[in-house]
Amino acid sequence: MKLSFVVNGQPREAEVRPMARLLDVLREDLRLTGAKEGCGEGECGACTVLLDGQSACACLVPAVQAQGATVLTVEGLGDDPRLARLQEGFVRCGAAQCGICTPGFLMTAAELCQKGQVLSRAEVRDAVAGNLCRCTGYQKIIDAVEEALCADQPR
Amino acid sequence: MLTSHAEVLSPRSLQEALTAKASHPETVALAGGTDLMVLIEANKLAPSRVLNLWGVQELRGIDAQDGWIRLGALTTWTELIHSTLLADHAPALVEAAQTCGAAQIRNRGTLGGNLANASPAGDSLPPLLALDGVVELGSARRGLRRVPIERFFLGYRKTALERDELITAIYLPARVDGDETFFRKVGTRRAQSISKLSFCGRVRRQGGQVTLARLAFGALGPVPLRAHTVEVALEGGPVRPQLAELLLNDIRPIADVRSTAEYRQRAAVNVLRGWLESLAG
Amino acid sequence: MAQLIGEGIGRVDGPAKVSGRALYVDDLHVPGCYYGATVRSTHAHALIRGITLNLDYDWSDVIVVTSVDIPGENVIALMTDDQPALAEQVVRHVTEPIALVAAPTREKALEAARNVRIEYQPLPAIIDMARSRGEEPRIFGNDNVFKKLELRLGDVKAVTGGVLIEGEYEVGHQEQLYIEPQGVLAVPREDGGVTIIGSLQCPYYVVKALIRVLGHDKLNVVQAATGGGFGGKEEYPSMLSAHAALLATRAGRPVKMVYRRDEDLRATTKRHPARVKLSTRVDESGRLLSLDADVLMDGGAYNTLSPVVISRAALHVSGPYRWETAHVRAAVVATHTPPNGAFRGFGAPQAMFAVERHLDKIARTLSIDPVELRRMNLLREGDLTVTGQVVKAPGGLLALDAALAAADESPLPPLSPIPGGGGDAARRLPGRGVSVVFHGCGFTGNGEAKIKSKVILELQGERIRVLTGSTDIGQGTDTIFPQLVASVLDIPLSWVEMAPHDTALVPDSGPTVASRTAMVVGGVVDAAARKLHAALQVEARRSAPFAELARARRARGPLRVEHQHQPDPSLRWDDERYIGDAYPTYAWMATVVDLAVDIDTGEVTYRRLITATDIGRALNPVLASGQIEGGALQALGWATFEEVVTDGKGLMLNDRLTNYIIPTAADAPEMVTLLIENPYEGGPFGAKGLGEIPMDGPAAAVAQAIEAATGAVLNRLPMTPERVLEATP
């Protein structure tokens, strides 16, 4: 099938099998390798992207369901100043270590930022529980997400 | 990595979807993909045809009709969680939805998919059983039929769904005053957990007497099940927590990589007793 | 600018990692690349009767490699030469590699691998480590023992007074579970050699292994951005690199091998399971009189690094305590199961869980407060360890007091209801547990003297390049080393950069393991920077700040200095008798964990984890605390979540992330991470190693907390809900 969708603000097209995983389309056809594969079954969240504004594991989305959709990947985060701040916060807080889970966490956090929710620390933990990290113990990731959500609140 | 070569049809209407399913019954229905894509990647399923239901609007929506709540088969976990109607009528189902997977999964995974996948650990199944849910199935030739949820599950991952049918909706009776519900999921970790066991209970009390009891367990055997012996014992009297011991007449827990039979048995009795004790006050 | 030390600057590879620009091996796109897959044994022990290809399958674009195609020796060289790159006549564990295939797509490669038929003649197998030593069939040597050792302090038998307290403790496998699976890309070079680009910790291990397999040294190894290691990418990448190199050489084109998660879980190394028996005598006040320890570990089918793992276990089974006498016997044996290998802590966590639980047993038996028992017996200045090492500036008490004070002062997060958690009906009991541990930093005994780690600094204009084989696997080497150089030379951080971790460029700085990189290699970097400054002063024939001299010679050619690690000459170590200075120094850590146990289900909820760690000096507190928090959660995972379930052949059954359960953010406690600075004169700016110690202590603290909450006494890891419920009185 010819897949037409908008990725990181740009209209893109690719000739793909309809059941191809969105993750493979992004990584192999569009060479956007920011989304990572950690498990291939939606457990680790390293492949999280925003699909029409909602976080999804790109390994579980068939290309046919991305037809006409809007996709945001980690490569497109910096275009939004608010999300660029989220990225900077991750570095400053030490939320990234080996970095393999970082794009997925950023995308899950980006959805929270875009929804503008006010979350307690415990709620932030639940909200990012679909992303596994083995390096940080999550403490500094929660710090960075909490900081980004607070920064978004009107003072 | 394992790309399916399946042909995919993306119908725009329910009629179109049912016709396609009837003409090629081997077609595998695709909702949010959170189970199907895993099976394909694990090389456990290699469908030649896939019916992509994601764009069928008739399968969406949560609304109240004639004393029932209708949930379209494509209702996602996220939609369940945010439904004010369900918060009133089926809080146990909402709580179950909150425990399902994580945000990414809840955004795509659907109630219809959870039923069709028919894993005995499916998070929605104990609440749907305890709430006397009814599954609506559609076929191009025979139209719609409704099956009580308890009769929908026939065996391990086997359902009453005929080869030419699709799940179209789930119906729950509107909540009745005096109904109290409870949901419990037991797993190794809090999030992203597949149950060791899950439980949903509902009792209706009038004047301190239990007039209706529904006790449903998931992940204990090949199908989610009701604890009929305990239900019958509970009905017609005050809540007596010690009746939880009768549960052993209803369940024959299995052992697998997630837990042991002994644990499931003991924890199931404990969870049931704990809830009954909190009801008895 | 010396204030750079102690500053939590953001990691230098941070911007690339948060933007998706950091390239991991699977992100590398190479035209014409083939994908490799592995045909593995389905038997624990069998003769290979034949390897055949399904003739109905299209093999036209598939490369197949078996042991007969190996140009050099069929061995993965590490400590001994017992492990083949590909099994020849015999397989000794399930998942042992037998053949390799490569094809233009991953799907085709996986499919082709399924069309390679192996005919086996099954043989009896040893799966249980308790039935290995001296038994038939023989797997290794004369007695199936990879390594045994014994150490003594005084005469245990002479101690007959006090109370005899005995205990047995058991721990299971643990998977490192780096989020990026193992992966390697092999690219043929124009000179007939091969370049390996991979997810790995120790590039020179791979070089040494490949020279043997390929029979030549026309090769270089490049570390790609690496998505976690924890020891799992210490030795295993040598195997995977050998496979990819064999395929690439045969195919004459690049070959990429990236494991799927299930394959990674089933086939790669794990933490060694262990059984520790302790027999102790203690006087009635709680003074530790004698320790008799028997440590048994399961090495799996091949030796890998097991001798060093068992050695570290033996050296840590005393805990951070003063024993008047000790006798430790330790052995690691062979079984027909997938080899176990390096994993953060490297034998110490197993030993430490045992001794810390045993202290709880002593406290219970004598009705002494478990914290007071520890305080009373912690090693103090001038005490002797069980190897007779004189303890200098111990941090155990500092850490314990700091952690306990923080437990009183910092708020305990409320035990809030969770969805599906049972609400008011749930019966959750709170509990607190405390543990104290120490961890020897760097290699054991005279290990560093053998390694001779080197670092090169290259000055060009005002830029300094640091050339080192030490890798950054997330712990922050690439940030810490420039911080050190800039601090020593009092120059801006922007002047210093890391050379790519490519063995064609960088010297062997020793493996990136054993909590040695910041302390040992960092020390070499520090010394090299001083040497560079000295060289500039000699060249300019005057004393001046480095920056001034560097600017003055901007127009001149590059200047290179090399420095090699100089072991502390005062350290004495007898490797035969295990007497002397086992480690140059120790890190110390106290843990206070608060949790709740659901007594109906045995589920454990973590609330808060306080750690206080004597790390000498925090070179970068953000990175340092990040290491400790990550390691501590890995330890909590081992404590209550992570269990490798195997079948009768030793095959891992829960080979998915849905059933090998690691903690999520919702399971992790809030952490209070205290860094205690108790400088070690042998480390750069006083720094000690800290990478592994957080793995050592939390599991025992959790066991104590569960006991405090429920009365359940658990001496076996993991403490799953099943075991907690069973043990709950």
Side-chain angles (χ1 to χ4, degrees):
Chain A
M1 67 175 272
K2 186 187 233 178
L3 171 64
S4 305
F5 59 155
V6 176
V7 181
N8 299 332
Q10 303 291 315
R12 302 294 296 260
E13 287 187 346
E15 191 57 44
V16 299
R17 290 185 205 144
M19 287 299 283
R21 306 183 308 171
L22 175 60
L23 180 61
D24 296 329
V25 174
L26 291 171
R27 289 181 53 87
E28 283 161 29
D29 297 85
L30 305 187
R31 302 272 165 83
L32 292 170
T33 56
K36 309 299 182 192
E37 176 158 5
C39 70
E41 54 178 355
E43 282 288 317
C44 76
C47 66
T48 303
V49 298
L50 297 192
L51 181 61
D52 290 328
Q54 286 196 315
S55 63
C57 293
C59 72
L60 298 183
V61 178
V64 66
Q65 293 190 340
Q67 184 68 277
T70 300
V71 174
L72 184 67
T73 73
V74 71
E75 287 92 344
L77 272 187
D79 299 340
D80 177 339
R82 201 176 41 168
L83 300 180
R85 277 208 306 277
L86 172 70
Q87 290 174 302
E88 289 157 18
F90 260 61
V91 178
R92 187 165 21 79
C93 294
Q97 284 190 27
C98 86
I100 196 81
C101 72
T102 307
F105 267 102
L106 285 165
M107 299 316 296
T108 303
E111 185 187 10
L112 301 175
C113 286
Q114 286 183 343
K115 284 183 183 160
Q117 286 170 301
V118 185
L119 300 178
S120 70
R121 216 173 146 84
E123 287 168 335
V124 172
R125 288 185 175 276
D126 282 336
V128 301
N131 295 82
L132 296 178
C133 169
R134 194 63 157 170
C135 290
T136 61
Y138 302 104
Q139 186 74 10
K140 297 186 190 324
I141 293 176
I142 305 303
D143 291 345
V145 176
E146 200 181 25
E147 184 187 285
L149 294 179
C150 288
D152 284 349
Q153 295 307 312
R155 271 162 251 217
Chain B
M1 230 179 272
L2 289 182
T3 304
S4 162
H5 292 247
E7 255 182 64
V8 180
L9 186 72
S10 299
R12 287 281 139 204
S13 71
L14 179 57
Q15 195 52 50
E16 203 186 323
L18 292 175
T19 306
K21 181 67 174 152
S23 54
H24 293 285
E26 78 281 10
T27 303
V28 173
L30 165 69
T34 54
D35 283 320
L36 191 62
M37 295 296 280
V38 175
L39 293 174
I40 292 173
E41 174 66 16
N43 213 12
K44 287 181 181 159
L45 187 71
S48 55
R49 284 171 178 275
V50 168
L51 192 61
N52 170 27
L53 300 171
W54 198 247
V56 180
Q57 286 311 310
E58 291 135 287
L59 298 178
R60 295 196 176 276
I62 303 173
D63 35 33
Q65 306 178 349
D66 313 325
W68 292 83
I69 312 297
R70 177 189 184 275
L71 299 108
L74 287 183
T75 303
T76 64
W77 301 104
T78 300
E79 287 162 353
L80 286 174
I81 291 167
H82 291 120
S83 161
T84 48
L85 203 54
L86 290 178
D88 289 341
H89 290 280
L93 180 61
V94 173
E95 192 171 349
Q98 287 168 335
T99 71
C100 176
Q104 295 92 320
I105 302 300
R106 295 197 288 263
N107 284 340
R108 307 285 302 172
T110 66
L111 196 54
N114 204 228
L115 285 169
N117 190 50
S119 158
D123 289 305
S124 70
L125 307 183
L128 294 180
L129 273 169
L131 297 173
D132 288 330
V134 172
V135 193
E136 181 186 78
L137 309 173
S139 101
R141 271 176 228 131
R142 301 183 306 283
L144 300 177
R145 67 179 175 121
R146 291 185 182 182
V147 180
I149 196 91
E150 203 183 357
R151 278 195 268 131
F152 181 71
F153 299 105
L154 305 179
Y156 181 70
R157 291 187 183 259
K158 273 179 66 181
T159 70
L161 197 61
E162 297 289 338
R163 279 166 58 79
D164 67 339
E165 284 180 322
L166 294 171
I167 299 172
T168 52
I170 292 88
Y171 286 82
L172 298 175
R175 185 171 179 274
V176 172
D177 277 350
D179 273 11
E180 289 163 277
T181 58
F182 176 79
F183 176 75
R184 184 77 166 89
K185 176 169 171 174
V186 179
T188 296
R189 69 179 166 204
R190 276 179 59 183
Q192 288 266 63
S193 177
I194 294 178
S195 315
K196 292 178 188 293
L197 73 102
S198 53
F199 167 66
C200 186
R202 176 166 66 113
V203 295
R204 183 174 300 159
R205 281 191 288 191
Q206 282 162 350
Q209 302 293 298
V210 176
T211 59
L212 175 145
R214 293 284 183 274
L215 309 171
F217 288 88
L220 291 183
V223 293
L225 51 86
R226 291 242 315 259
H228 290 288
T229 311
V230 190
E231 288 177 2
V232 170
L234 271 171
E235 286 172 355
V239 172
R240 282 166 295 161
Q242 66 272 27
L243 293 177
E245 304 300 335
L246 294 177
L247 186 60
L248 302 182
N249 296 303
D250 292 315
I251 61 170
R252 292 278 176 280
I254 51 163
D256 59 19
V257 294
R258 288 184 217 289
S259 194
T260 62
E262 298 74 33
Y263 174 81
R264 285 183 160 118
Q265 184 164 310
R266 185 168 165 192
V269 172
N270 286 352
V271 163
L272 176 57
R273 192 198 306 107
W275 178 54
L276 294 178
E277 279 171 3
S278 75
L279 283 176
Chain C
M1 250 150 285
Q3 73 272 17
L4 259 180
I5 290 301
E7 223 180 287
I9 58 167
R11 53 184 314 126
V12 299
D13 48 352
K17 285 177 171 174
V18 298
S19 60
R21 292 196 318 274
L23 294 178
Y24 300 79
V25 64
D26 202 23
D27 302 337
L28 301 172
H29 179 81
V30 187
C33 184
Y34 269 29
Y35 295 86
T38 312
V39 181
R40 297 181 181 280
S41 172
T42 53
H43 289 265
H45 188 206
L47 291 176
I48 299 173
R49 303 302 297 269
I51 303 174
T52 52
L53 304 184
N54 175 8
L55 294 178
D56 297 331
Y57 189 71
D58 174 14
W59 295 94
S60 59
D61 55 356
V62 180
I63 306 293
V64 182
V65 163
T66 65
S67 64
V68 299
D69 302 305
I70 295 174
E73 300 168 68
N74 186 8
V75 63
I76 300 299
L78 193 58
M79 294 190 69
T80 51
D81 287 348
D82 58 323
Q83 186 171 23
L86 292 168
E88 284 182 33
Q89 284 108 25
V90 184
V91 286
R92 293 184 181 83
H93 65 86
V94 285
T95 73
E96 180 161 16
I98 300 169
L100 306 165
V101 296
T105 66
R106 290 174 209 256
E107 282 173 275
K108 175 91 198 230
L110 291 170
E111 198 178 72
R114 287 196 295 272
N115 281 282
V116 177
R117 308 263 162 86
I118 313 289
E119 198 191 322
Y120 301 94
Q121 181 185 324
L123 297 170
I126 298 171
I127 303 298
D128 179 358
M129 69 168 160
R131 293 187 195 161
S132 165
R133 193 170 182 166
E135 300 286 323
E136 294 293 335
R138 289 286 188 264
I139 308 168
F140 188 89
N142 299 323
D143 55 2
N144 285 342
V145 176
F146 288 124
K147 167 94 178 174
K148 60 181 179 222
L149 57 94
E150 206 166 349
L151 65 91
R152 288 169 201 274
L153 174 75
D155 183 5
V156 175
K157 291 213 176 75
V159 180
T160 51
V163 186
L164 175 69
I165 298 171
E166 295 177 300
E168 186 168 334
Y169 309 90
E170 213 180 313
V171 304
H173 285 99
Q174 186 187 19
E175 161 62 29
Q176 293 89 356
L177 217 110
Y178 30 72
I179 303 296
E180 179 203 27
Q182 303 266 0
V184 154
L185 170 66
V187 184
R189 302 200 312 201
E190 279 181 12
D191 64 357
V194 63
T195 296
I196 295 290
I197 306 166
S199 179
L200 45 92
Q201 290 176 231
C202 307
Y204 274 96
Y205 274 13
V206 179
V207 169
K208 288 166 195 167
L210 287 196
I211 287 173
R212 301 277 299 278
V213 174
L214 300 178
H216 65 72
D217 63 357
K218 287 184 289 188
L219 58 98
N220 62 313
V221 176
V222 185
Q223 187 213 13
T226 294
F230 316 110
K233 293 172 184 169
E234 175 173 350
E235 75 273 28
Y236 196 85
S238 298
M239 172 72 79
L240 185 51
S241 300
H243 291 170
L246 288 169
L247 283 169
T249 305
R250 180 89 172 180
R253 56 166 75 231
V255 172
K256 192 190 268 189
M257 296 187 82
V258 177
Y259 286 168
R260 288 159 53 111
R261 178 61 66 182
D262 55 345
E263 180 175 23
D264 194 302
L265 285 169
R266 288 192 299 262
T268 68
T269 53
K270 309 265 178 291
R271 184 184 302 288
H272 290 67
R275 191 210 65 206
V276 180
K277 291 181 182 169
L278 300 178
S279 174
T280 56
R281 284 188 177 273
V282 185
D283 78 11
E284 273 160 28
S285 73
R287 200 159 52 96
L288 305 177
L289 304 177
S290 71
L291 166 71
D292 190 304
D294 179 353
V295 184
L296 178 67
M297 279 186 169
D298 180 356
Y302 295 106
N303 193 26
T304 68
L305 297 161
S306 291
V308 205
V309 173
I310 194 70
S311 149
R312 195 170 275 270
L315 292 167
H316 285 78
V317 76
S318 63
Y321 304 110
R322 183 182 54 248
W323 297 90
E324 295 194 353
T325 62
H327 182 200
V328 177
R329 282 151 290 134
V332 58
V333 298
T335 56
H336 288 109
T337 63
N340 298 308
F343 190 166
R344 188 182 224 154
F346 212 73
Q350 293 95 318
M352 213 73 81
F353 173 72
V355 68
E356 281 295 273
R357 277 314 276 154
H358 195 72
L359 256 77
D360 291 344
K361 180 163 191 178
I362 294 170
R364 199 186 309 127
T365 310
L366 301 180
S367 300
I368 301 177
D369 177 75
V371 175
E372 287 316 308
L373 180 70
R374 285 166 169 82
R375 189 189 299 281
M376 182 192 318
N377 289 292
L378 273 171
L379 285 164
R380 289 164 202 253
E381 186 76 32
D383 282 346
L384 295 185
T385 69
V386 290
T387 63
Q389 180 170 9
V390 180
V391 174
K392 290 182 202 152
L397 282 169
L398 288 176
L400 181 59
D401 287 337
L404 291 171
D408 289 338
E409 287 156 19
S410 68
L412 188 60
L415 196 54
S416 49
I418 52 175
D424 295 340
R427 298 191 293 164
R428 291 196 288 178
L429 301 181
R432 173 175 293 181
V434 178
S435 71
V436 188
V437 296
F438 71 160
H439 196 96
C441 303
F443 284 135
T444 305
N446 46 11
E448 289 296 345
K450 292 181 194 156
I451 295 279
K452 298 185 175 66
S453 301
K454 289 181 197 66
V455 168
I456 295 169
L457 295 185
E458 224 174 47
L459 176 69
Q460 178 134 40
E462 284 161 2
R463 296 193 76 77
I464 297 174
R465 278 219 304 179
V466 184
L467 291 92
T468 168
S470 294
T471 54
D472 194 323
I473 55 171
Q475 83 284 41
T477 309
D478 288 357
T479 305
I480 297 284
F481 284 4
Q483 255 181 298
L484 280 171
V485 173
S487 296
V488 169
L489 299 177
D490 198 17
I491 55 175
L493 189 65
S494 60
W495 286 24
V496 191
E497 64 175 25
M498 295 292 287
H501 300 288
D502 177 349
T503 59
L505 304 171
V506 299
D508 189 350
S509 312
T512 303
V513 303
S515 310
R516 67 181 289 278
T517 300
M519 182 178 93
V520 177
V521 188
V524 183
V525 169
D526 178 315
R530 290 174 207 279
K531 208 174 195 174
L532 181 65
H533 190 185
L536 287 202
Q537 298 196 117
V538 168
E539 187 186 70
R541 297 182 192 184
R542 65 189 174 102
S543 295
F546 178 84
E548 187 188 320
L549 295 171
R551 280 201 193 94
R553 74 179 304 282
R554 204 177 324 186
R556 305 180 61 168
L559 189 67
R560 235 170 116 93
V561 298
E562 181 179 303
H563 189 72
Q564 183 180 310
H565 177 68
Q566 306 297 317
D568 178 349
S570 71
L571 296 176
R572 306 157 297 105
W573 177 247
D574 179 338
D575 207 28
E576 294 299 310
R577 296 191 298 155
Y578 267 60
I579 292 175
D581 300 319
Y583 298 97
T585 190
Y586 295 82
W588 307 76
M589 175 166 151
T591 301
V592 180
V593 67
D594 281 280
L595 51 74
V597 184
D598 185 315
I599 54 165
D600 288 323
T601 63
E603 293 167 293
V604 171
T605 305
Y606 292 114
R607 300 173 72 184
R608 184 185 62 186
L609 181 83
I610 295 172
T611 57
T613 315
D614 166 11
I615 60 168
R617 178 84 191 269
L619 300 176
N620 180 323
V622 171
L623 296 180
S625 55
Q627 280 291 292
I628 289 168
E629 288 158 3
L633 188 63
Q634 222 163 20
L636 295 184
W638 191 42
T640 54
F641 297 81
E642 299 178 33
E643 179 162 39
V644 173
V645 182
T646 54
D647 68 7
K649 292 183 191 172
L651 179 69
M652 182 172 180
L653 296 174
N654 52 336
D655 56 355
R656 302 167 58 188
L657 296 193
T658 59
N659 44 30
Y660 185 81
I661 305 289
I662 66 167
T664 70
D667 303 296
E670 283 297 328
M671 297 190 192
V672 178
T673 307
L674 306 169
L675 303 178
I676 294 177
E677 299 202 328
N678 175 26
Y680 161 56
E681 73 278 10
F685 294 88
K688 302 179 184 176
L690 62 87
E692 294 170 285
I693 191 166
M695 189 70 225
D696 293 346
V702 170
Q704 194 190 85
I706 291 173
E707 185 177 336
T710 66
V713 176
L714 289 151
N715 291 323
R716 182 176 173 198
L717 295 182
M719 297 173 283
T720 56
E722 285 81 0
R723 293 197 185 124
V724 173
L725 194 61
E726 198 186 331
T728 299

